[in-house]
Amino acid sequence: MNERWYSKAVVYCLDIDTFQDSDGDGVGDIRGLIGRLDYLARLGITCLWLHPIHPSPNRDDGYDATDFYNVDPRFGTLGDFTELVHEARNLGIRVIIDLVVNHVSNEHPWFQSARSSPDSPYRDWFVWSDEAPSDRRQGMVFPGEQDETWTYDRTAKAWFYHRFYDFQPDLNITNPQVREEIKKICSFWLQLGVSGFRMDAVPFIIERTEPGNPNPEKDFEFLSELRQHVQWRQGDALLLAEANVEPAELTDYFGGRLHMLFDFMLNARLMLALARQDPEPVIDALRDTPALPDGAQWATFLRNHDEVDLSRLTADQRADVFEAFGPDENMRLYDRGIRRRLAPMLGNDMRRIQLAYSLQFSLRGTPVLRYGEELGMGEDLSLDGRMAIRTPMQWSQAKNAGFSDGDSLVRPLVEGWETLNATVQRNDRQSLLSWFERMIHTLREAPEVGAGSCQHVDVQVPRGVLAHRAIDRTGSVLFLHNLTDTACEVDMSSLAADADHPVEVLSDEGYDPITEDLAKLALNGYGFRWIRLRREP
């Protein structure tokens, strides 16, 4: 058993309802996903992350669950789900699912019981206040879409807390019964074969909320309890957390608690570096990243299912990213983010798209890729909010891009799917999809990236060039990325003593053979080179 399999994984995230429809109702389903597992295997994916799969009124795209022990009937059955896990494992792909336990739908039986009577056994499963809390108009996650975080319920004759929308009442983590229920939910899905969970909104899950206190203490002990629980059930189970917090707080989430955290700080700095065509923000992020305890890991990403969150940047930095990638107000969200996919953000320039993903996948941590990014899919800005990037997967030139035979789709297709789809790109060796396959398979031959250390190579290089390397007991790999459109030459001779027959393993195009002294390495505009310096036995 490899208890740290996640350190060398390549994660692919998707919404079942927009990936592949198998029965013609216009909604993606589990049977459809099973039929596309071979595509993911060929791409090189080793871990599949599924966004919410539970029954839901779908007022928040599934993040408002009504039953944590079942599958949304639109997607299929529990039997279908176990078949998915089995077939994925046969192809070397693990499955993790979203664990959305900060809140439930207000239609969940727990909340319906809780609001019905003060004597309900579920009353204390939620957070209540008899009086209007003084902080009820603070701490909104979705500014502009939320007016408050406490709402009065006429049936309960009390105010209930909801960090997110008013139809998503928060669970009360201070209640031991709630804690035990979350552990039971984890046990249930681990028994069905999942390899772990992506935990939604972790800083809010562990808040010890009380009326009138907008900054409650966090109960990190619950994360320790949950880690111990899932590993007793399955030794190599993963807890991957969403926790967009200040850098000084990050280490509180590790150390016997969570295995992995999404690196939101690096994500924002990557976007700033791409916008300014200057690697300094990435260098700063690598330098400022706190040291992780043994066994802990970062998850890197460029685009995910939410907006590009720029809230950790300064106002000037944020303005530069908005100007480059979200110049129109309709492209922005919550005054902090951009609701676009990466390809159109980069002007659909193949060179810049490849450069960006080469940089992400070569930095320390485990890379996470959103469905459709490997094709350069676009967005539909006519859809509300984050739905702009939650459109059907584009498979072929067949009806509805091969996503569904139905006449009415869960969401409209993005324009241009007739020429931008997996089938067209599969038959083009110069396509983005073909490049992604080569890049991911090359990464899987470089375990130093996920399991080793990441070091900025601090030598004088032309403006716009980032040089870094990954080092582990398996060897050393050098990465060069030119964030500008100007070709240049890089001198890496200071690393020659550490090299043993250096060889190029991936690049934007063919370069001259590498010399042993590493003195004159050409680099195209928006070019990149992966050079294995040495490999240990």
Side-chain angles (χ1 to χ4, degrees):
M1 180 189 300
N2 182 359
E3 295 186 356
R4 297 180 185 171
W5 59 269
Y6 50 86
S7 67
K8 301 176 185 178
V10 178
V11 182
Y12 189 92
C13 65
L14 61 85
D15 303 277
I16 291 178
D17 60 351
T18 55
F19 200 64
Q20 180 67 68
D21 173 22
S22 71
D23 57 12
D25 66 354
V27 179
D29 48 49
I30 296 173
R31 303 304 306 177
L33 174 54
I34 291 172
R36 294 297 187 179
L37 288 174
D38 52 351
Y39 167 85
L40 300 180
R42 177 170 173 168
L43 184 58
I45 300 307
T46 61
C47 180
L48 179 58
W49 160 28
L50 302 179
H51 296 313
I53 63 173
H54 305 307
S56 165
N58 269 299
R59 298 182 65 185
D60 185 22
D61 205 23
Y63 287 87
D64 47 337
T66 55
D67 181 0
F68 290 109
Y69 296 98
N70 215 328
V71 171
D72 190 321
R74 298 181 307 151
F75 302 159
T77 66
L78 284 174
D80 293 330
F81 182 83
T82 55
E83 183 70 9
L84 167 66
V85 173
H86 173 74
E87 293 296 338
R89 279 291 183 126
N90 285 344
L91 293 171
I93 300 173
R94 294 172 180 263
V95 176
I96 65 174
I97 64 172
D98 263 342
L99 182 66
V100 187
V101 291
N102 174 70
H103 51 258
V104 301
S105 165
N106 60 2
E107 297 180 27
H108 196 294
W110 298 342
F111 187 70
Q112 288 298 311
S113 173
R115 67 194 290 260
S116 68
S117 169
D119 299 324
S120 164
Y122 293 101
R123 185 72 166 202
D124 195 39
W125 283 43
F126 300 90
V127 184
W128 301 93
S129 175
D130 292 332
E131 305 295 332
S134 59
D135 62 334
R136 69 187 182 95
R137 299 194 186 278
Q138 299 181 45
M140 283 79 76
V141 175
F142 303 131
E145 296 182 14
Q146 283 178 273
D147 296 323
E148 55 189 4
T149 53
W150 290 85
T151 293
Y152 186 74
D153 186 275
R154 294 181 183 279
T155 301
K157 296 181 176 59
W159 297 77
F160 69 89
Y161 182 71
H162 52 91
R163 173 63 82 162
F164 292 82
Y165 294 113
D166 60 4
F167 54 82
Q168 294 170 320
D170 276 29
L171 289 167
N172 179 11
I173 196 64
T174 65
N175 185 334
Q177 291 178 305
V178 170
R179 298 160 85 103
E180 290 305 308
E181 189 69 24
I182 293 174
K183 294 174 188 176
K184 284 171 57 180
I185 293 167
C186 291
S187 296
F188 179 84
W189 292 101
L190 289 171
Q191 191 67 30
L192 289 183
V194 304
S195 293
F197 307 91
R198 175 265 185 185
M199 294 184 66
D200 184 65
V202 170
F204 303 141
I205 292 176
I206 59 176
E207 282 183 337
R208 302 180 70 91
T209 308
E210 56 185 3
N213 181 3
N215 297 300
E217 292 184 0
K218 292 182 173 63
D219 189 351
F220 287 100
E221 182 57 32
F222 175 65
L223 297 181
S224 302
E225 292 177 21
L226 191 62
R227 165 79 172 257
Q228 183 179 45
H229 177 82
V230 298
Q231 292 203 190
W232 270 111
R233 296 301 185 275
Q234 185 173 302
D236 61 354
L238 169 68
L239 293 176
L240 166 59
E242 176 193 48
N244 190 0
V245 298
E246 295 291 341
E249 298 178 52
L250 288 170
T251 52
D252 292 333
Y253 291 83
F254 288 118
R257 291 167 181 163
L258 301 168
H259 303 85
M260 291 180 67
L261 281 181
F262 286 102
D263 197 339
F264 284 94
M265 184 61 74
L266 177 61
N267 175 252
R269 300 290 180 84
L270 275 169
M271 288 300 172
L272 180 61
L274 293 171
R276 291 181 170 176
Q277 300 190 9
D278 181 353
E280 286 300 322
V282 175
I283 296 171
D284 289 343
L286 295 178
R287 183 188 61 233
D288 297 342
T289 299
L292 298 184
D294 188 36
Q297 180 81 335
W298 296 111
T300 67
F301 62 100
L302 284 174
R303 289 303 292 114
N304 61 14
H305 59 294
D306 289 330
E307 76 279 8
V308 179
D309 190 338
L310 307 175
S311 59
R312 299 291 170 194
L313 299 180
T314 66
D316 287 343
Q317 293 171 336
R318 200 157 45 245
D320 286 347
V321 180
F322 278 144
E323 181 181 1
F325 301 142
D328 298 336
E329 192 65 34
N330 188 39
M331 298 172 176
R332 306 176 187 178
L333 198 62
Y334 310 134
D335 295 325
R336 67 174 183 235
I338 299 174
R339 63 188 199 103
R340 308 182 69 194
R341 280 190 180 262
L342 191 73
M345 287 169 62
L346 297 176
N348 294 306
D349 185 331
M350 178 80 80
R351 299 174 304 160
R352 297 190 71 190
I353 298 168
Q354 291 180 355
L355 170 75
Y357 276 106
S358 170
L359 182 54
Q360 181 217 332
F361 274 61
S362 63
L363 290 170
R364 83 284 183 279
T366 297
V368 179
L369 179 68
R370 178 155 176 78
Y371 82 94
E373 287 293 302
E374 73 276 16
L375 305 177
M377 273 178 57
E379 71 271 343
D380 183 350
L381 294 175
S382 70
L383 298 177
D384 291 337
R386 295 172 294 177
M387 295 302 171
I389 59 169
R390 301 179 184 181
T391 56
M393 180 67 172
Q394 298 163 197
W395 291 107
S396 71
Q397 295 167 306
K399 177 182 177 181
N400 295 326
F403 164 70
S404 172
D405 291 332
D407 295 325
S408 178
L409 305 184
V410 61
R411 267 175 228 118
L413 291 160
V414 173
E415 292 183 6
W417 60 265
E418 296 89 346
T419 55
L420 198 159
N421 59 67
T423 299
V424 168
Q425 294 197 25
R426 171 70 70 235
N427 296 319
D428 179 3
R429 292 184 59 83
Q430 303 305 313
S431 70
L432 185 60
L433 175 61
S434 296
W435 175 82
F436 257 103
E437 290 178 356
R438 293 194 298 274
M439 189 265 290
I440 291 175
H441 284 276
T442 302
L443 176 71
R444 292 180 61 181
E445 294 178 352
E448 298 87 354
V449 175
S453 64
C454 179
Q455 301 176 359
H456 167 234
V457 181
D458 192 11
V459 299
Q460 189 169 4
V461 294
R463 176 193 170 276
V465 172
L466 173 64
H468 73 282
R469 59 175 175 165
I471 304 173
D472 198 26
R473 57 187 177 82
T474 53
S476 175
V477 185
L478 170 68
F479 303 96
L480 302 174
H481 292 87
N482 183 3
L483 276 63
T484 75
D485 196 20
T486 303
C488 62
E489 200 170 74
V490 182
D491 184 353
M492 288 286 114
S493 57
S494 61
L495 301 181
D498 189 44
D500 180 16
H501 297 91
V503 58
E504 190 159 79
V505 294
L506 186 73
S507 66
D508 58 296
E509 66 172 48
Y511 291 95
D512 291 337
I514 297 170
T515 58
E516 292 285 340
D517 62 5
L518 301 174
K520 295 183 178 181
L521 299 175
L523 202 55
N524 295 322
Y526 300 134
F528 58 88
R529 302 181 73 170
W530 294 17
I531 300 169
R532 176 164 286 285
L533 298 178
R534 58 180 172 81
R535 182 184 293 279
E536 299 295 342

